[in-house]
Amino acid sequence: MAFSKLVDIFWNQVYGFQLKRTQDPNDAEDVTIQTFSKAFDKLHTYNEQYVFKTWLLSISKNVHIDLVRKRKKTPWNTNSQEAMKLALDNAPSMEDRLIQEQNLASLLQDIKKLKPHYQEVINLRYFNELSYAAIAETLNEPVNNIKVKLLRAKKLLSEIIKNR
């Protein structure tokens, strides 16, 4: 409940900060979501002597830096022929596909362990590939609530997977 209030209070500030940095609404949204996820995980490290917004924006800045670094490491930033060879060489083998299918089946079983409203947002986002706005419209809820539900669902799902 308190986390939801924090998201409601600071979402626009973090998103606006990232929109200026990334110049891309999708990247800004992704970084903002990751920021709140990290902040939720690291809330115990927050020092109350400092302004919460400053702490949150520094997390956001670091998440963005990580994104930029990650993109620089991708093979698509090199010679395109080399990148194509690398992509072809990394095509999944029959064994890889079988493992992926087994992992997907296992993941689906884990998703079924979540409460129905969490299952629903995960299915709409990752299996139906709906945007946050489309999910919010489908469920008749505010976009920020959808984002928070999805964060919670992913956190719960990761705990289920860790406890296998």
Side-chain angles (χ1 to χ4, degrees):
M1 188 64 132
F3 184 71
S4 179
K5 285 184 180 182
L6 290 175
V7 170
D8 288 341
I9 293 168
F10 293 104
W11 178 270
N12 290 337
Q13 294 169 354
V14 175
Y15 177 78
F17 174 72
Q18 282 305 324
L19 192 56
K20 287 178 188 172
R21 290 176 66 95
T22 64
Q23 301 294 310
D24 180 336
N26 292 327
D27 283 347
E29 185 176 46
D30 288 344
V31 171
T32 302
I33 290 168
Q34 289 178 32
T35 297
F36 281 100
S37 178
K38 282 194 180 205
F40 180 70
D41 290 341
K42 302 291 182 185
L43 202 53
H44 66 280
T45 67
Y46 169 64
N47 183 342
E48 293 182 14
Q49 291 179 324
Y50 302 103
V51 177
F52 185 79
K53 177 183 168 185
T54 306
W55 180 74
L56 198 57
L57 290 178
S58 66
I59 291 172
S60 185
K61 181 184 79 168
N62 291 333
V63 169
H64 179 246
I65 290 169
D66 291 345
L67 174 72
V68 170
R69 285 181 184 153
K70 183 177 176 184
R71 286 186 178 163
K72 283 182 181 178
K73 289 182 182 179
T74 61
W76 303 109
N77 292 334
T78 61
N79 181 331
S80 62
Q81 283 188 335
E82 289 177 32
M84 288 299 284
K85 286 179 187 174
L86 184 61
L88 292 174
D89 289 345
N90 289 336
S93 67
M94 195 64 147
E95 293 84 11
D96 292 335
R97 279 184 256 156
L98 179 61
I99 290 169
Q100 286 175 345
E101 288 174 16
Q102 289 173 343
N103 286 341
L104 179 60
S106 179
L107 178 63
L108 291 172
Q109 289 299 317
D110 291 337
I111 290 171
K112 287 180 181 177
K113 294 175 185 173
L114 294 172
K115 291 182 179 179
H117 60 278
Y118 290 139
Q119 289 180 33
E120 188 174 31
V121 291
I122 285 182
N123 285 325
L124 290 172
R125 178 70 177 160
Y126 297 107
F127 294 103
N128 295 335
E129 298 181 355
L130 294 181
S131 68
Y132 295 109
I135 296 169
E137 188 175 311
T138 302
L139 299 179
N140 196 26
E141 291 186 34
V143 173
N144 284 347
N145 287 6
I146 298 302
K147 292 175 182 177
V148 170
K149 268 189 188 176
L150 201 51
L151 282 172
R152 288 179 183 155
K154 290 191 296 188
K155 179 129 176 92
L156 291 169
L157 186 57
S158 75
E159 289 174 13
I160 289 170
I161 291 169
K162 284 179 193 174
N163 294 329
R164 275 191 206 156

